[in-house]
Amino acid sequence: AIIVHDAVPARSLKELIALSKQQQLGVGTAGVGSATHLTLERFNAQTGAKLVHVPYRGGGALLPDLVAGTIQGAMTEFSSALPHHRSGKARFVAIASAKRSPLASDVPTMSESGAGEFNAASYIGILAPGGTPPDVVARLQAALARALAAQTVLDKMRELGVEVATGELTTAAGFGAFIRQEYERSREAAQLAGLKKQ
């Protein structure tokens, strides 16, 4: 998601892109090579925006600096920034998801806002070492499915702005394919950012 300080005059994604071409707008991320940095680079490349990357050492100081006005915006996880949007200390311009969030239904998606098909998401999954016996993987997968079916778990995740994976993504094969796809997308974004292997 892109969230901006209230002093930024842009009220829409199109206005933010146009403003970034007229003046320097510092947009913080969790650091060089982070998922949010790579998302910012993809966003700039896809939309022609000229948002200036301001790397942080993790996300801890990022949102307090945004609220204080030290930086004009942040490319960050929706769930992390949601409390600041709700309090009015900053505002989302758009979210990088396929559909609007029921937790902030007033905020359009980037696709709705003219950025083309643009999605980005943080994800959490459980991995096992290569060569783990299939029966062990199946037991782990079944235990995870049971936990994610518990209403209290689902309610807490929704409250935090977290979406639970469904369908093929909940299987070992589906999650593996997703990780490979994300790896390729990140590799392309790293090339856009000029990042080199170290």
Side-chain angles (χ1 to χ4, degrees):
I2 294 181
I3 189 164
V4 297
H5 186 272
D6 201 44
V8 174
R11 296 288 179 215
S12 70
L13 192 63
K14 285 183 180 179
E15 289 177 6
L16 184 68
I17 292 167
L19 188 61
S20 76
K21 295 175 182 179
Q22 298 167 4
Q23 68 184 59
Q24 182 171 313
L25 291 175
V27 175
T29 73
V32 174
S34 67
T36 52
H37 175 211
L38 298 179
T39 300
L40 177 63
E41 295 298 340
R42 283 192 314 114
F43 177 79
N44 278 341
Q46 184 163 323
T47 65
K50 298 194 180 308
L51 299 170
V52 177
H53 180 226
V54 180
Y56 276 73
R57 296 180 73 181
L62 175 66
L63 290 171
D65 274 8
L66 171 67
V67 170
T70 305
I71 54 175
Q72 289 81 39
M75 181 71 77
T76 190
E77 291 81 11
F78 172 79
S79 58
S80 299
L82 184 59
H84 300 293
H85 174 76
R86 285 178 171 163
S87 71
K89 294 179 179 174
R91 70 180 183 287
F92 286 121
V93 175
I95 58 173
S97 63
K99 60 183 187 218
R100 291 185 185 212
S101 169
L103 298 175
S105 59
D106 59 315
V107 180
T109 67
M110 289 190 184
S111 299
E112 287 177 318
S113 302
E117 188 177 322
F118 191 91
N119 295 321
S122 296
Y123 58 91
I124 298 171
I126 297 177
L127 304 176
T132 300
D135 64 314
V136 172
V137 171
R139 286 197 318 266
L140 287 170
Q141 187 172 315
L144 182 59
R146 281 191 305 277
L148 292 175
Q151 194 60 49
T152 54
V153 172
L154 290 172
D155 290 344
K156 187 64 173 176
M157 292 177 84
R158 286 188 189 110
E159 177 186 320
L160 295 171
V162 176
E163 292 182 38
V164 178
T166 58
E168 186 67 18
L169 280 176
T170 64
T171 68
F175 189 54
F178 173 79
I179 290 172
R180 286 188 290 280
Q181 178 185 4
E182 285 297 301
Y183 177 83
E184 184 58 28
R185 188 184 302 194
S186 295
R187 188 186 64 74
E188 291 168 3
Q191 288 176 337
L192 287 171
L195 299 176
K196 308 280 186 220
K197 288 183 181 178
Q198 293 187 9

